Every structure is written in structure tokens, then in C-alpha cells.
């Protein structure tokens, strides 16, 4: 395995352990009021998402969006596409929560709600799934690992909160680590899925959820997640030519 990616995997395992241990267990809907500058930034990044299909997760997509909206192409100058990826993940979580508010009451158990929430969140990635390995490659870079793990920690914590989780202190961390592993594995599987309407991905997700139900809650789940994420990510990126084997 590529030594840089192997090192990245070790960093991911350590990062997720630290982040899951410091993430707040409380979910709040309080959103700070946006400044004019923040509104401009969001409008540019929203528009840049429409450029991903042609320009990828790149500064070029952001620059073209800014130009389209009448701003300087350097209005959101960036060395890579991370601001766009970070924005997409924020937006996707918001959309997942909105949809969940309307439909979660239809599911009786927390694990059924988790399965539903994973499906909803994965559907947010569907329009960009063929470009997602490019985003994953950026997220896997050592300098971006903390952003990636922070986003993932927020996602799984929010999912368990919405599912009505009432875990003890030990179970709380273990269950979030297991959900992180299940979600990331399903997202990477989706990148290569050619089945109709991603039916194979939904079956793969169901198996991962079943694995979660049968898994023993242990403190080693964070390390297991880091290894699994690194291995699966390497295989996907290598098959797309983003890294050499």
C-alpha cells in the first residue's frame, strides 16, 4: 500500500478517536446569524456545486461560480477544492435532517431510523458519486484529515441523536465508531456501484447495519474504522487512477 496513504490511515484512526471523544452529545438547532460575507460565500459555493460534474471538486469550479454570479473569480481563492467539499457535506447534512423531520416517525426502532438516515444521506451524494473519489482523495490527505473526521463525527452523532439513541458513556462512543465505519464503507461502495438505482449499495448498507447490530461494543472500533477506511479508500482511488499502487 502507498506509504503516504498508510500513514494517512494511522492518522485517521487517531483523529477519529480524539474527535469522537470530544464531540458534544447535545444537538442544538441554534444557528448564528449570517453576515453578508457569509451569504456571498454560501451563494458561490452553492452555485459551484452545479459545476462539479464538469470541473470536479476544484478551485476552477469555485472560480467559475463566482464569475457567473458577478464576483471576482478570486472571491473565494483556495489552493484546492476543500471549501467546496466541506460546504457540500454541511449542506447534505442539513438536507438529511430536513427530510428526517418529515419521515422518521414512520420507523419504530433506532436501528431502523439509522438505516433510513444513512440512505437519505447517501442519496445526497448520488448526483456527485462519479466525482466523489476525487473528493475522497482530497479528504484523505494528511492536512485535511481533521476536517474529514470532524464532518464524519458530526454526521454520525447527529444520526444517532435523531434516531433517539440513549446510550451509556461507553456505548455512545462505540456506536458512533461503528456507524462511521458502516457509512463510509457504503459511500465508497456506492462509488463503484453500477446496479439500477444503486440497489446493490442499499443491500450492502443493510448488511453493514446488520453487522452493527451483531458487533460487540469495544474500544478498538475506532482503530478498526481507521484501517477499514484506509484500505477501502486506497482500492477505490487506485482503480480511478488518483494514486498509484
Amino acid at each position: 500500500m502507498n506509504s503516504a496513504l498508510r500513514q494517512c490511515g494511522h492518522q485517521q484512526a487517531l483523529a477519529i478517536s480524539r474527535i469522537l471523544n470530544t464531540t458534544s452529545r447535545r444537538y442544538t438547532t441554534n444557528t448564528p446569524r449570517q453576515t453578508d460575507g457569509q451569504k456571498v460565500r454560501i451563494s458561490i459555493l452553492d452555485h459551484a456545486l452545479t459545476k462539479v460534474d464538469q470541473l470536479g471538486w476544484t478551485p476552477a469550479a469555485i472560480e467559475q461560480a463566482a464569475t457567473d454570479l458577478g464576483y471576482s473569480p478570486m472571491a473565494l481563492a483556495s489552493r484546492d477544492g476543500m471549501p467546496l467539499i466541506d460546504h457540500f457535506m454541511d449542506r447534505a447534512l442539513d438536507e438529511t435532517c430536513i427530510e428526517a423531520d418529515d419521515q422518521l416517525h414512520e420507523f419504530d426502532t433506532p436501528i431502523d431510523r439509522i438505516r433510513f438516515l444513512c440512505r437519505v444521506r447517501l442519496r445526497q451524494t448520488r448526483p456527485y458519486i462519479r466525482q466523489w473519489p476525487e473528493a475522497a482523495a482530497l479528504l484523505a490527505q494528511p492536512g485535511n484529515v481533521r476536517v474529514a473526521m470532524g464532518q464524519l463525527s458530526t454526521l454520525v452523532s447527529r444520526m444517532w441523536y435523531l434516531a433517539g439513541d440513549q446510550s451509556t458513556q461507553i456505548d455512545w462512543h462505540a456506536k458512533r465508531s461503528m456507524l462511521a465505519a458502516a457509512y463510509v464503507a457504503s459511500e465508497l461502495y456506492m462509488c463503484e456501484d453500477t446496479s439500477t438505482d444503486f440497489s446493490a449499495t442499499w443491500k450492502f448498507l443493510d448488511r453493514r447495519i446488520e453487522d452493527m447490530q451483531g458487533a460487540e461494543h469495544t474500544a478498538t472500533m475506532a482503530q478498526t474504522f481507521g484501517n477499514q477506511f484506509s484500505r477501502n479508500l486506497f482500492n477505490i482511488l487506485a482503480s480511478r487512477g488518483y494514486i498509484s499502487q
Side-chain angles (χ1 to χ4, degrees):
M1 180 181 290
N2 180 284
S3 60
L5 191 60
R6 187 186 298 112
Q7 179 63 27
C8 179
H10 294 320
Q11 291 178 354
Q12 289 164 340
L14 293 172
I16 194 169
S17 178
R18 290 195 300 268
I19 293 169
L20 286 175
N21 284 332
T22 57
T23 300
S24 172
R25 298 182 62 177
R26 296 293 181 181
Y27 164 60
T28 175
T29 56
N30 295 331
T31 302
R33 181 173 297 179
Q34 295 174 348
T35 65
D36 289 342
Q38 290 171 326
K39 291 177 181 178
V40 169
R41 184 178 189 276
I42 289 172
S43 66
I44 292 174
L45 292 174
D46 277 344
H47 189 55
L49 289 175
T50 69
K51 308 294 182 182
V52 169
D53 186 53
Q54 290 183 321
L55 300 175
W57 303 94
T58 63
I62 301 173
E63 292 167 8
Q64 185 60 58
T67 300
D68 288 352
L69 296 177
Y71 301 106
S72 163
M74 301 306 292
L76 292 182
S78 175
R79 63 180 177 81
D80 58 26
M82 277 302 297
L84 184 56
I85 297 169
D86 196 34
H87 175 73
F88 162 72
M89 297 175 85
D90 286 341
R91 182 68 78 196
L93 178 56
D94 288 343
E95 294 297 325
T96 298
C97 292
I98 290 171
E99 186 168 342
D101 283 344
D102 294 334
Q103 300 185 48
L104 267 184
H105 67 277
E106 299 174 9
F107 302 91
D108 295 329
T109 66
I111 203 68
D112 286 335
R113 295 179 196 124
I114 286 294
R115 181 182 291 105
F116 167 73
L117 288 165
C118 284
R119 284 183 173 235
V120 173
R121 175 58 185 83
L122 287 168
R123 285 199 294 267
Q124 302 297 324
T125 308
R126 281 178 61 173
Y128 314 101
I129 199 63
R130 301 311 170 202
Q131 293 80 28
W132 193 246
E134 178 187 343
L138 282 171
L139 289 165
Q141 291 180 6
N144 297 329
V145 166
R146 186 162 186 83
V147 173
M149 294 298 100
Q151 282 283 0
L152 184 58
S153 176
T154 299
L155 173 64
V156 298
S157 293
R158 189 72 58 83
M159 282 182 173
W160 275 118
Y161 175 88
L162 292 171
D165 180 50
Q166 300 293 329
S167 296
T168 62
Q169 181 72 15
I170 295 176
D171 282 355
W172 188 87
H173 296 300
K175 289 170 76 171
R176 277 147 184 79
S177 294
M178 287 189 289
L179 177 56
Y183 178 82
V184 171
S186 299
E187 190 171 63
L188 293 175
Y189 186 94
M190 194 179 196
C191 290
E192 298 293 288
D193 187 3
T194 58
S195 64
T196 303
D197 199 29
F198 295 99
S199 59
T201 295
W202 308 136
K203 293 177 182 177
F204 181 88
L205 171 63
D206 288 343
R207 292 194 295 272
R208 301 291 76 74
I209 298 297
E210 290 172 6
D211 291 343
M212 281 176 53
Q213 288 181 282
E216 180 182 1
H217 296 181
T218 72
T220 62
M221 287 304 300
Q223 180 67 49
T224 300
F225 163 75
N227 293 337
Q228 180 179 11
F229 184 94
S230 180
R231 182 170 59 254
N232 291 344
L233 179 60
F234 178 83
N235 291 336
I236 293 293
L237 298 182
S239 71
R240 293 299 185 90
Y242 288 104
I243 58 177
S244 58
Q245 301 198 50

